[in-house]
Amino acid sequence: MTVEDHDIDAARVAERVERRWATLSIAIIVVLAGAAAFAGIHKATMPQARVETVEPQTIHLSGEFTEANLGSAAEPDGSVTVRAVGQQYSFTPQCMVVPVDTPVLFRATSPDVVHGFLIQGTNVNTMLVPGYVSQIPARFSRTGDHLMPCQEFCGVGHEGMWAKVKVVTRDEFLRMSAGNRRVACVD
Amino acid sequence: MLTSRRLILAHFWLAFAVFGFALVLGAWQMFVRSPLHTWISNPEWYYRSLTAHGTVMGYVFPTLVAMGFGYAISEVSLGRPLVGRRWAWAGFWLIAVGAVMAMIPVALGRASVLYTFYPPLIGNPFYYLGIVLVVVGSWIWVALMSINLRVWKRDNPGVAVPLPMFANVAGSYLWAWTAVGAALELLLQILPVAFGLRSTIDAGLSRVFFSWTLHAIVYFWLMPTYIAYYTIVPRAIGGKIYSDTMARISFILFLVVAMPIGMHHTFADPQVGAGFKFIHSAFTALVALPTLLTVFTICASVEIAARMRGGRGPFGWIGALPWSNPIMMAVAFSFVMLGFGGAGGLVNMSYQLDSSIHNTQWITGHFHLIFGGAIVIMYFAIAYDLWPHLTGRAMRDLRLMRVQLWLWFVGMIVTTFPWHWVGILGMPRRMAYYDYADPAIAPQALSVALSAVGGFILLASGLLFILVLLRAQRAPREDAGAYRFAAALHPPVLTPALNSYALWIALMVGLTVTNYGFPIAQLALRQDTSVPAVYVGADP
C-alpha cells in the first residue's frame, strides 16, 4: 500500500465519521422540533396564538379594560377571568385574587409603554404591548401568595412595579365574589 | 502579510478601551442592585449605566473586534495589502464619533432607554444617530471585505478562497443584513418620533423589527470566535483543521439560518400569532446545526494536534495537549461555556419552556455566558495571538495571560450560574433594586450577592487583559515572523457553491422575507395600535 492509498483511505474514514456526526446532529434537531410540535398540537401548550388588538388610548373610557371591569370575574361555566392593566408604574388591580384548582384566564394590556406580566412560581409570563391584548390561561394547584413583577424595562420607576396574586380556596373566592361583580384583594 | 498594522491596532485598542469602560459599569451595576449595597438613591443612574453598558458591549466593542480581525484576515489569508485603507480609516472614525455621540446623551440621562430601545420610550435623537453612525461605519467594512475578495478572485481564478476569508466575508454579509431590522426600526419609527415629526409609534411592530436584528447579531459577535476556532486554534497548538469543507458548510449555515429565527424573542408577545412563532422556533433549532458541526470539527482538530504530539488511547490524547498554551486554555474554557450556554439557549428557543424563564435573570445569565463567556474569551485569544505580529514586540507574560483567562472563566461561571438560578425563581431583569427584605425575595439574596462577586472577578480579569496588552506594547522589539492561519488536513478542493455567496445570500434574504414579511406587513398596515411616545429624561 502506497502512502497515497493510505491518505485516500484516511480521508474516506474521516468523511464517514463526519457524515455520521452530521446525521446525528440533524436527528437531534428533528426530535427537538418534533417534540415542540407534538406538545403544541397534542397538549395545546403554546404561546398566545391569536392576535387581538385594542385601542390603547381609550381603554380607560370604554370597553373591556375600564377600571370598573378590572379584577376577577366568575364566569357562568365556573371558570374565572382576571382582567388587568399595567401602566407606568403599577398594575391595576394591585392585588389579584383567584380560586385554587379552577381554570383562570388572564387578560391584560397596557395604555402607555411595554410592560411584563410574570407571576413568580408559575409559568404565567407574557408581555403587555400597548395596542394588543395578552391572554394567558392558568390553573393554580395551591393556595398562597405570588409576587408579580413587571419583567420588562418600562422607565425609571420600573423597579417599583410589583403586584400580587393571591390564590384562595374556592369557598373563600365564592364568599368574596358574592354580591361583587369584580373581585380584587386591594386593601 | 500584515501591512495595515496601525489600522488593525487602532480597531483593537478602541474596542478594548470601550470594553474596559463598559466592564466597570457592569460590575457597578451588579454591585448596587445586590444585597451588598443599600438601595440606590436615584434608580435613574442604574438605567443610565445599563444603557451605556449594553450599547457599548453590544454595538461598539464586538463590531470593532470583527472589523479589526477582518482586516487582518484579508491581508494575511489573501496575501496582499488591504484595498481601500483610507475608507477603512473613515469607517473607524465614524464608529469612534458615533460611539461618543451616542454616549453623551446617555451620560446626561437623556437616553435611558436601554440598548434595546424599547419604544414608545424615546430618548434624545443623538443617541440613535450615534448608533446609526456606528452601523454605517461597519457597513464600510462589509463593502471593503467584499471588494478585497473580489479583487483577489479576479487575480486567482480557479483557486479556492482561503477559509478564514471565506468565513470573514460570510460574517460581514450576515451583519449587513441583520442590521437592517434595527435600521428599519430606527429610520421608520424611532427617529421621526425622536425629532418630533411624528408623535405616535406602534410598539408591537418595533419589537418585531428589533427581533430581526437581536438574534442574528449574536452570530455576528460569534463569527470572530468561530473563525478563531477553525483557523487559529489548530495552528497554535500544532495541529490541522480536520475538515475544510465542513467549516465552510457551517459558516454558510450561519449566514442562511441566523436571520429568520429572531421571533423566538417574541414568543410571549401578543402581536405575533402562534404560527410564525412556531416556524421561528423550528428554524432556531436548525441554527444549532452549524454549532454541533463546529464542536465536532474542532474537537477532531484538537485530537489531531494531540496525536501529532504523541498522544495515545481513546482519551489519553487529552493529556498530550499543550495545556499551558493560552490559546488551548481559551478554547477549552470557551467550549465549556458554549456547552452550558447552548443548553440554556435550547430552553429559551423552546416553544413551550420559554415561558418559565422569559425576561427573567435567566436570560441575562444566558447571554452573558454565551457572549461574555464563550465569545469574548476567544477575542482575548485572538488579541494574544495577533499582538506580537501587530506590534512587532515580544509577548512574554504567559503567566499573566493564563491567570487572566482563568479569572475570566471562573468569574463568568460565578456570575452567570447564580443568575440563571434566580431567573428560575422568577427574578425579573433590569431592575435598579430589589426588596431583599420581602420574604418572597429573601431566598434570592445569597445568589445575587455571589453573582456580584463574580462581576468583580470579571472586572479584575478584564483590567489584567488590558495590562497584558499594554505591557506587550512596551516590550523589546522582536520579529514574530509571518502570521499564518491553520492549514487543513486535506487541502480544500474548489467547489463553486462553497466559494461564493450568491446562492446563500439569496436564501438568506428569501427566508427572511418568508419568515418576517407577512408579520411585518400585517403590523405595518394597522392604524389603531399606535401609542403616543413617552419621552425619556426631559423635554423632547
Side-chain angles (χ1 to χ4, degrees), chain B residues 63 131 212 299 315 435 503:
Chain B
T63 309
I131 291 170
W212 169 344
C299 288
F315 295 105
D435 180 7
L503 172 64

Side-chain angles (χ1 to χ4, degrees), chain A residues 45-60:
Chain A
T45 52
M46 61 176 84
Q48 182 172 350
R50 225 162 61 82
V51 178
E52 200 180 329
T53 63
V54 60
E55 189 98 35
Q57 297 179 51
T58 56
I59 58 167
H60 57 296

Side-chain angles (χ1 to χ4, degrees), chain B residues 87-449:
Chain B
W87 282 99
W89 276 111
F92 172 81
W93 284 110
L94 273 178
I95 291 186
V97 170
V100 172
M101 187 194 277
M103 279 308 112
I104 290 173
V106 172
L108 296 174
R110 298 295 173 104
S112 301
V113 293
L114 310 196
Y115 83 105
T116 37
F117 307 150
Y118 288 145
L121 296 174
I122 296 291
N124 184 289
F126 285 98
Y127 170 63
Y128 308 110
L129 284 178
I131 291 170
V132 169
L133 284 189
V134 169
V135 173
V136 171
S138 70
W139 280 351
I140 293 181
W141 166 75
V142 174
L144 286 177
M145 289 301 96
S146 180
I147 290 166
N148 276 276
L149 182 63
R150 191 170 302 233
V151 171
W152 180 88
K153 270 187 166 176
R154 200 187 53 207
D155 297 345
N156 294 274
V159 183
V161 179
L163 176 64
M165 190 59 179
F166 183 77
N168 179 37
V169 175
S172 76
Y173 290 151
L174 177 118
W175 169 240
W177 184 241
T178 193
V180 169
L184 289 172
E185 182 192 2
L186 285 172
L187 299 178
L188 300 178
Q189 294 195 284
I190 293 179
L191 278 171
V193 178
F195 277 113
L197 302 173
R198 245 201 346 250
S199 62
T200 63
I201 198 160
D202 187 324
L205 177 60
S206 39
R207 288 177 70 80
V208 172
F209 273 140
F210 197 75
S211 78
W212 169 344
T213 294
L214 186 56
H215 199 72
I217 197 174
V218 181
Y219 296 108
F220 167 60
W221 301 339
L222 195 77
M223 279 295 171
T225 292
Y226 271 45
I227 296 174
Y229 284 164
Y230 280 106
T231 67
I232 292 181
V233 170
R235 189 261 297 137
I237 62 172
K240 294 190 176 243
I241 306 172
Y242 182 81
S243 166
D244 178 275
T245 308
M246 202 52 116
R248 283 169 206 260
I249 291 174
S250 298
F251 285 108
I252 286 170
L253 280 171
F254 273 125
L255 184 60
V256 173
V257 291
M259 232 76 52
I261 65 174
M263 271 192 228
H264 68 243
H265 289 257
T266 65
F267 280 163
D269 281 25
Q271 80 278 12
V272 185
F276 277 97
K277 285 175 183 169
F278 181 75
I279 291 172
H280 280 245
S281 175
F283 271 87
T284 314
L286 199 57
V287 87
L289 187 57
T291 293
L292 288 171
L293 297 179
T294 299
V295 168
F296 174 82
T297 308
I298 300 308
C299 288
S301 307
V302 169
E303 185 183 339
I304 291 171
R307 295 203 186 277
M308 285 167 81
R309 295 168 63 93
R312 293 275 173 273
F315 295 105
W317 56 269
I318 294 171
L321 288 167
W323 286 108
S324 59
N325 180 335
I327 307 293
M328 183 67 233
M329 289 171 64
V331 73
F333 290 151
S334 179
F335 263 46
V336 172
M337 293 189 278
L338 187 69
F340 282 113
L346 290 180
V347 174
N348 306 345
M349 68 113 222
S350 154
Y351 202 47
Q352 279 88 13
L353 298 179
D354 170 68
S355 69
S356 53
I357 43 83
H358 172 74
N359 254 353
T360 65
Q361 298 278 12
W362 167 286
I363 302 297
T364 336
H366 165 74
F367 71 72
H368 277 81
L369 189 54
I370 286 279
F371 176 39
I375 294 177
V376 169
I377 206 164
M378 290 307 290
Y379 290 0
F380 298 152
I382 291 168
Y384 287 156
D385 198 57
L386 269 171
W387 222 247
H389 300 268
L390 292 173
T391 59
R393 287 163 195 275
M395 203 156 187
R396 300 219 178 94
D397 290 328
L398 281 175
R399 263 176 69 94
L400 271 187
M401 285 153 79
R402 285 196 283 268
V403 170
Q404 188 267 322
L405 293 169
W406 263 112
L407 280 177
W408 192 261
F409 175 66
V410 171
M412 199 47 84
I413 299 290
V414 174
T415 305
T416 57
F417 278 35
W419 234 348
H420 278 84
W421 171 242
V422 294
I424 293 175
L425 297 179
M427 191 178 202
R429 293 166 70 177
R430 295 171 155 176
M431 283 196 169
Y433 54 72
Y434 300 88
D435 180 7
Y436 297 103
D438 188 309
I441 300 178
Q444 299 161 10
L446 182 66
S447 302
V448 178

